[in-house]
């Protein structure tokens, strides 16, 4: 019988490597955590939020959800689900004229977190790349977005700039840049 005003779906992890080389059970665990738990927790608390016509859901996705990422294929796919699910729920709630807000958060690779160690990505270039962010920047941008009632937040000035121009870059060039970012040092 909890009343949840703000639900933050932030649990998740990634895997790295070619699809045929990554442990199948590890990837299934990641799909369950990144996709199923986000879905199930949202469903669990949404009903009561709808009854009260109040609440906020914050789903942490990733900039990886914007395009296919080789060697992080399944991770990026799970985050694409989170982005589309969250943005679709935003539209449903607007159609229902609901006061419930859903914020989709898409950070770039975050320096100095356990994420890269757990995913065996210590030597992946993206964690020292062009749009890398910090935990401080993530927290600051989420808080600003929350206070402004935003429904979509791309974390960090550099990543927001890249997100805006991404649509101007041909697909094959974009994917070349992605492959460059996921190289190992």
């Amino acid at each position: 019988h909890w009343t949840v005003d703000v639900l933050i779906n932030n649990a998740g992890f990634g895997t790295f490597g070619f699809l045929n080389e990554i442990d199948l059970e590890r990837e299934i665990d990641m799909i369950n955590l990144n996709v199923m738990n986000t879905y199930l927790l949202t469903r669990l608390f949404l009903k009561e939020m709808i009854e009260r016509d109040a609440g906020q859901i914050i789903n942490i996705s990733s900039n990886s959800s914007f395009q296919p990422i080789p060697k992080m294929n399944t991770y990026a796919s799970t985050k694409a689900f989170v982005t589309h699910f969250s943005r679709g729920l935003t539209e449903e709630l607007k159609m229902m004229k609901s006061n419930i807000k859903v914020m989709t958060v898409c950070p770039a690779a975050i320096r100095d977190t356990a994420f890269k160690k757990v995913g065996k990505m210590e030597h992946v270039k993206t964690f020292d790349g062009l749009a890398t962010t910090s935990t401080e920047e993530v927290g600051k941008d989420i808080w600003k977005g929350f206070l402004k009632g935003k429904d979509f937040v791309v974390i960090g000035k550099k990543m927001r700039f890249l997100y805006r121009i991404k649509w101007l870059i041909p697909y094959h060039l974009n994917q070349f840049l992605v492959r460059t970012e996921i190289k190992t040092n």
Side-chain angles (χ1 to χ4, degrees):
H1 299 290
W2 292 358
T3 298
V4 174
D5 294 315
V6 180
L7 169 65
I8 303 173
N9 286 311
N10 185 37
F13 70 90
T15 55
F16 184 80
F18 293 111
L19 183 65
N20 61 305
E21 296 172 354
I22 300 171
D23 180 70
L24 175 64
E25 292 302 316
R26 185 79 174 141
E27 291 235 304
I28 290 171
D29 288 345
M30 180 182 59
I31 292 166
N32 283 330
L33 181 60
N34 295 4
V35 173
M36 290 305 298
N37 284 348
T38 297
Y39 173 81
L40 291 171
L41 285 169
T42 299
R43 287 292 304 257
L44 179 66
F45 293 104
L46 181 63
K47 182 177 181 179
E48 191 271 333
M49 287 181 177
I50 288 173
E51 289 169 2
R52 285 187 300 124
D53 195 29
Q56 170 89 34
I57 300 169
I58 300 173
N59 288 332
I60 308 301
S61 185
S62 170
N63 73 322
S64 299
S65 70
F66 303 151
Q67 69 278 317
I69 301 188
K71 298 182 94 175
M72 292 181 74
N73 183 17
T74 307
Y75 171 76
S77 298
T78 67
K79 291 305 184 172
F81 171 85
V82 173
T83 295
H84 287 275
F85 173 70
S86 303
R87 297 195 86 184
L89 182 56
T90 294
E91 295 304 317
E92 287 183 12
L93 292 165
K94 285 178 183 177
M95 290 176 73
M96 295 167 60
K97 299 189 185 333
S98 173
N99 288 314
I100 301 163
K101 302 288 183 203
V102 178
M103 182 167 54
T104 308
V105 179
C106 296
I110 304 170
R111 291 183 299 276
D112 303 323
T113 66
F115 181 87
K116 65 183 176 179
K117 183 177 181 183
V118 170
K120 297 183 173 126
M121 296 181 252
E122 295 96 335
H123 305 298
V124 177
K125 183 180 174 185
T126 194
F127 292 97
D128 298 313
L130 177 64
T132 306
T133 190
S134 66
T135 54
E136 293 81 9
E137 188 172 40
V138 172
K140 186 175 121 184
D141 285 356
I142 290 172
W143 184 243
K144 272 199 236 175
F146 180 81
L147 292 176
K148 291 180 178 180
K150 298 239 177 192
D151 61 17
F152 186 72
V153 176
V154 176
I155 301 294
K157 289 180 184 177
K158 294 179 210 169
M159 192 65 233
R160 282 190 292 277
F161 172 75
L162 292 172
Y163 179 75
R164 280 188 217 107
I165 67 166
K166 174 193 175 314
W167 312 108
L168 303 173
I169 300 171
Y171 178 80
H172 69 280
L173 178 57
N174 184 59
Q175 287 308 114
F176 169 78
L177 296 171
V178 168
R179 287 191 304 275
T180 301
E181 278 290 303
I182 58 96
K183 284 186 178 176
T184 53
N185 298 330

